[in-house]
Amino acid sequence: MHGSLVFESFAPFPDYYNHLENDVKPVYLYLALDHEYSVFDIERANMAVKKTFKCCFEAAKGKIELFDKHFDVVRLRHLDSFDKLIPIQNEFIKSGIKLKMNTLTHLNNEKGFIQLSKIFNIRELGKGIYVDTREDFHAYLLLPHRLTQKEFEDTTLKVKYNWESTGFDAASGCFFIRGKLKEMVRIYSKNLSIDYLEELRKLYLSKMKS
């Protein structure tokens, strides 16, 4: 929509795609919102939009920290054409989600911090290992306790220094399973075999102790 603020991620899953020059990166767009909405408000609007706008996309509530600014957003993925962006924005507005107008200037390829709140669809693949049943190439490895962002980054760096198999991208997170909060690391890789994920989780657990 003309004048609205939309962010695009130029490097989704950077630790995976930065090593694959010929692989096509997925498109991730973030619609800035006028104020914060609950995950349920976003999901209700998402369901309403999909009823009236026949397009394959996924939406999730999110936050972006950029410089000293904070932006509430709706993350869009699986959008097969940028031509569908404005119609989708209009449908979200009709569903009660107000968009933020653009007040930023000269913003290009900056690094920000993104946090998502979403509903997961997962199945258990092994002990402490889950794979996403709706998003390809996504797996989740349970951790015994929460790590700060600095601790997570340091642990992941240690894991990568000692990892000899296919590359992956990692992010920290948590979700509820049967009413219990579980800390986890989200893994993005096109190799999600049980052997691969078991070895990767074992290495994470080992480096958390070191």
Side-chain angles (χ1 to χ4, degrees), residues 49 53 55 57 76 79 84-92:
V49 171
F53 191 80
C55 173
F57 71 94
L76 299 180
L79 203 62
K84 296 177 181 177
L85 176 59
I86 292 178
I88 287 177
Q89 286 180 299
N90 289 332
E91 291 299 327
F92 269 103

Side-chain angles (χ1 to χ4, degrees), residues 50-137:
K50 287 183 175 180
K51 285 182 180 178
T52 58
F53 191 80
K54 305 302 180 183
C55 173
C56 180
F57 71 94
E58 293 296 332
K61 166 187 166 66
K63 295 180 180 181
I64 293 178
E65 301 290 341
L66 190 61
F67 307 125
D68 59 344
K69 298 181 182 296
H70 162 91
F71 301 92
D72 295 294
V73 298
V74 171
R75 192 281 310 275
L76 299 180
R77 67 168 298 182
H78 300 313
L79 203 62
D80 58 8
S81 170
F82 284 100
D83 293 338
K84 296 177 181 177
L85 176 59
I86 292 178
I88 287 177
Q89 286 180 299
N90 289 332
E91 291 299 327
F92 269 103
I93 292 172
K94 291 178 184 177
S95 298
I97 304 299
K98 295 182 180 180
L99 304 181
K100 184 179 182 64
M101 294 297 102
N102 187 11
T103 57
L104 299 178
T105 57
H106 308 299
L107 186 66
N108 183 37
N109 203 21
E110 302 290 347
K111 187 175 181 179
F113 180 78
I114 301 171
Q115 182 180 23
L116 296 178
S117 300
K118 55 178 284 187
I119 298 172
F120 290 87
N121 293 266
I122 58 176
R123 67 178 176 87
E124 190 170 10
L125 189 64
K127 183 179 180 181
I129 299 171
Y130 294 82
V131 292
D132 206 302
T133 60
R134 195 161 69 176
E135 296 289 354
D136 292 337
F137 318 131

Side-chain angles (χ1 to χ4, degrees), residues 108-169:
N108 183 37
N109 203 21
E110 302 290 347
K111 187 175 181 179
F113 180 78
I114 301 171
Q115 182 180 23
L116 296 178
S117 300
K118 55 178 284 187
I119 298 172
F120 290 87
N121 293 266
I122 58 176
R123 67 178 176 87
E124 190 170 10
L125 189 64
K127 183 179 180 181
I129 299 171
Y130 294 82
V131 292
D132 206 302
T133 60
R134 195 161 69 176
E135 296 289 354
D136 292 337
F137 318 131
H138 287 63
Y140 310 98
L141 311 179
L142 298 191
L143 302 179
H145 58 79
R146 180 181 178 274
L147 297 175
T148 66
Q149 186 60 30
K150 178 66 164 55
E151 289 171 338
F152 175 77
E153 291 172 358
D154 290 345
T155 300
T156 298
L157 195 59
K158 293 176 185 177
V159 169
K160 289 182 179 292
Y161 281 152
N162 291 272
W163 185 247
E164 297 180 351
S165 187
T166 312
F168 63 90
D169 184 82

